[in-house]
Amino acid sequence: MTAEVFPEPGPFQRAAAAFASCVPVDPADDGFFGPSSVTWRLHADLSSPVSSLRALLLQALHPLAMAGVDQHSHWRDDPAGRFASTAAYVITIAYGDRAAARAAADRVRKIHEWVRGTDPVTGKPYAASDPALLIWVHAALVQSDLAAAALYGVSLTPPEQDQYVAEMTVAAELIGVPARRFAEGGAPASVAELDAYFEAVRPSLATSQSTADTSAYLINVPPDVEPELADVWDVLAAAAVASLPGWARAMYGFGTGPAANTGGVANTGHYLDSMPPERETVRQVLGVLDALYLGEPGVLEARQRLTLRMRAAERERGAQARTQALNSQARAR
């Protein structure tokens, strides 16, 4: 998928177009997750825009990952298009049927075959198909989904959080991560393993000019965002920064004073040194943004398709539970 698939102006409109076009109308099956999964529930949450910004900020701290983006993509020419294409991929993996998800993953894996080189910052070689880099991108996305939801979205129990991390190992394996246990080189399959992964990878992270460029675009209001949505973007960016782990905020210099004193990149938002936004404030802004999304062509219909499938799955679970209860009562007599 390329940016040209979503030519609408502005990042919000292009993300909406990606959603509308990638939620299937008549899927052959329930895909790799299905309407009963935590994945569907979490990806449908209002906190998703905060999660997306947070994931990009976190991913930008890996020098080899950023070298690949810098040397093999044109995101600076069309950052909104790159964001929409990434969103389309994530939506297809989550909601598409298995054939669509595999096809999307295969396209990305073929692109990754050509993405290799040497990082000018560390002097190390990189390859986008390297499982270590794939796990980094994957883990940053999964952790961001959980962190954004915990602060601004749906309340998940610890078992549900573990279930989400475990479910998402399928997405990692589709893109090329070995189907192994975490200890053997696979993707993290629980919150504890996710925490252990970030603790282990932190020494290899660093900031660079590419990191600064990425954060500047994400945190300052992008030029292609409509002026009336500037305040919305400000709150989303502040929420994304607030949801980052403390060590990542310190690397960026967010809320810690001059970047020169912290080893981070230059501060790019005046509000980052102030108190983080209140949950209710962020929720209100996310509600406004969601209303705008629903007004974009095809979004309401796509949302309704997912909602109907999730409700049908819930009814089926309820019917199964009642049947099991009745069978248990019959056996007890």
Side-chain angles (χ1 to χ4, degrees):
M1 294 181 182
T2 65
E4 288 73 22
V5 178
F6 310 108
E8 293 77 5
F12 293 126
Q13 291 87 346
R14 296 175 91 165
F19 178 80
S21 65
C22 294
V23 172
V25 175
D26 187 23
D29 51 57
D30 280 338
F32 288 98
F33 304 101
S36 297
S37 66
V38 180
T39 296
W40 274 42
R41 180 181 170 195
L42 192 54
H43 284 208
D45 190 62
L46 283 179
S47 62
S48 289
V50 175
S51 171
S52 298
L53 289 179
R54 182 195 190 273
L56 292 171
L57 287 168
L58 193 55
Q59 290 164 354
L61 291 173
H62 198 302
L64 300 188
M66 283 309 298
V69 171
D70 250 12
Q71 296 175 6
H72 294 273
S73 79
H74 302 286
W75 76 268
R76 287 181 178 83
D77 298 331
D78 185 13
R82 173 62 187 263
F83 178 81
S85 295
T86 301
Y89 175 79
V90 173
I91 293 163
T92 301
I93 296 298
Y95 298 125
D97 57 32
R98 294 193 173 211
R102 286 195 183 100
D106 286 346
R107 286 194 295 271
V108 173
R109 291 177 75 159
K110 287 178 181 178
I111 294 171
H112 282 176
E113 292 175 2
W114 301 94
V115 179
R116 56 182 63 247
T118 301
D119 171 32
V121 176
T122 63
K124 295 179 179 179
Y126 68 83
S129 57
D130 180 359
L133 288 183
L134 295 174
I135 291 176
W136 165 252
V137 173
H138 169 81
L141 178 62
V142 171
Q143 192 203 53
S144 294
D145 287 339
L146 292 175
L151 285 176
Y152 309 114
V154 64
S155 177
L156 296 179
T157 65
E160 287 173 332
Q161 293 174 3
D162 280 333
Q163 183 181 337
Y164 177 65
V165 179
E167 286 176 0
M168 287 297 286
T169 59
V170 175
E173 291 162 9
L174 281 171
I175 202 66
V177 173
R180 302 172 187 162
R181 297 171 53 204
F182 173 62
E184 299 169 350
S190 68
V191 172
E193 290 183 352
L194 193 62
D195 291 343
Y197 169 76
F198 279 102
E199 191 63 29
V201 80
R202 276 178 58 186
S204 63
L205 306 181
T207 58
S208 65
Q209 185 58 50
S210 296
T211 313
D213 291 345
T214 300
S215 64
Y217 174 79
L218 294 174
I219 293 169
N220 295 318
V221 179
D224 47 358
V225 170
E226 298 89 331
E228 59 269 23
L229 294 178
D231 289 343
V232 170
W233 191 278
D234 274 345
V235 174
L236 293 180
V241 169
S243 65
L244 284 169
W247 54 264
R249 291 196 302 271
M251 290 182 69
Y252 273 110
F254 294 152
T256 56
N261 294 333
T262 64
V265 300
N267 240 336
T268 50
H270 63 83
Y271 50 83
L272 297 179
D273 286 318
S274 61
M275 293 294 291
E278 299 266 345
R279 172 184 166 87
E280 189 56 35
T281 299
V282 177
R283 293 283 296 176
Q284 289 174 355
V285 167
L286 289 169
V288 170
L289 182 59
D290 193 56
L292 294 173
Y293 264 63
L294 290 174
E296 291 295 313
V299 172
L300 177 60
E301 294 82 357
R303 180 81 60 82
Q304 288 173 333
R305 292 196 295 273
L306 293 177
T307 300
L308 289 173
R309 293 173 67 188
M310 292 173 74
R311 287 176 179 171
E314 187 175 353
R315 287 194 299 270
E316 184 176 349
R317 287 198 305 273
Q320 291 174 348
R322 288 191 294 272
T323 300
Q324 290 173 356
L326 290 172
N327 291 337
S328 297
Q329 292 173 4
R331 286 193 296 267
R333 289 175 185 155

